[in-house]
Amino acid sequence: MTLRLNLGNYLQQHGITAYRLVKEVEGRVAPNTVYSLARRPAQRIDLKTVGVLMKALEGLIGEKVEFSEMLEDKPSALNHLQASAETPIYDPSKAKKFRYSGKAVTIEGGPTVEQIIAEGRGRQLP
């Protein structure tokens, strides 16, 4: 699970432009920070910045702004990979074919990452 601050979605729902918010927080938060947060969801942000933005938004919409209204919960790619019980296996028949001087060249499969790590630790895997 990945929590992200989705300021752009919140602004859109309340009919506020990023420019208007930039003008409201002028001198307290850099314009590039506001535009960046409005453009795409952020996974990391300074809490002081969030506090300033929330106070400014309260002034713009005239009601209390809850932090949870700006959060979105997205499953992370890492959780998706961990949920998958099957490890992908290299299939040489699906290998990309390259051409060198007009002749087809096939890249042969090599050892897996697990085999390379095990070899580096002095063990052998089948």
Side-chain angles (χ1 to χ4, degrees):
M1 168 188 338
T2 301
L3 289 176
R4 301 185 310 180
L5 179 75
N6 196 340
L7 181 63
N9 189 31
Y10 183 85
L11 293 175
Q12 188 177 28
Q13 288 175 352
H14 290 85
I16 301 170
T17 64
Y19 178 77
R20 188 168 170 203
L21 183 58
V22 165
K23 288 300 179 188
E24 190 71 23
V25 297
E26 195 167 19
R28 296 177 285 166
V29 177
N32 285 344
T33 300
V34 176
Y35 287 125
S36 177
L37 291 171
R39 227 176 301 143
R40 63 186 172 277
Q43 291 180 329
R44 297 180 187 182
I45 185 168
D46 184 58
L47 292 177
K48 182 179 175 185
T49 303
V50 172
V52 170
L53 293 173
M54 287 175 62
K55 282 286 189 195
L57 287 168
E58 286 176 2
L60 288 172
I61 64 173
E63 59 185 52
K64 185 159 177 60
V65 174
E66 295 292 330
F67 181 65
S68 59
E69 295 177 70
M70 291 186 275
L71 289 179
E72 69 178 21
D73 180 16
K74 295 284 182 178
S76 68
L78 182 59
N79 289 344
H80 177 58
L81 289 176
Q82 289 172 346
S84 174
E86 188 175 321
T87 305
I89 299 172
Y90 175 74
D91 183 3
S93 66
K94 295 181 181 177
K96 185 171 182 176
K97 305 241 186 312
F98 295 93
R99 297 212 173 265
Y100 179 73
S101 299
K103 297 177 184 174
V105 177
T106 304
I107 305 298
E108 295 296 324
T112 65
V113 173
E114 291 84 9
Q115 289 171 332
I116 293 170
I117 292 171
E119 186 178 313
R121 293 180 179 165
R123 295 181 295 165
Q124 291 293 323
L125 290 179

